[in-house]
Amino acid sequence: MTPIRRPADIARRAASRFAARETARDSFRRETFALPRAQAREKAQEWFNRFPKAAYQTEIESWRVLPGDRIEFTMRRLPSAD
């Protein structure tokens, strides 16, 4: 019996394959957060203090505003400085 495939199922599967391919392509560490605006700002600052941009190439890779003034963002950095 073939399962019913909804567009969301297909999109989820494609996104997971894309993510797996992207992580295999580079050596960056990524972590995604969804926090209230003030806490998101503090978390990003914490990352930049802990992993300086010059050594770890730390950056906010992507971000978006969620309902309730929450910010979802992905921080990216190299695993270690050489």
Side-chain angles (χ1 to χ4, degrees), residues 10-76:
I10 295 168
R12 191 176 303 111
R13 189 176 74 228
S16 68
R17 287 182 180 171
F18 179 76
R21 192 174 34 207
E22 284 297 307
T23 55
R25 204 177 297 175
D26 65 24
S27 61
F28 284 99
R29 307 281 182 179
R30 291 173 175 83
E31 193 166 341
T32 301
F33 304 93
L35 302 168
R37 187 178 298 268
Q39 291 177 356
R41 186 174 287 128
E42 290 173 9
K43 180 59 78 173
Q45 188 61 49
E46 176 186 317
W47 267 61
F48 284 116
N49 290 338
R50 187 170 178 198
F51 307 107
K53 185 173 180 93
Y56 293 91
Q57 297 181 12
T58 304
E59 69 177 36
I60 298 173
E61 189 170 59
S62 63
W63 66 277
R64 67 182 179 140
V65 180
L66 299 174
D69 202 32
R70 293 174 55 87
I71 308 295
E72 180 183 77
F73 61 102
T74 301
M75 296 292 299
R76 164 181 112 165

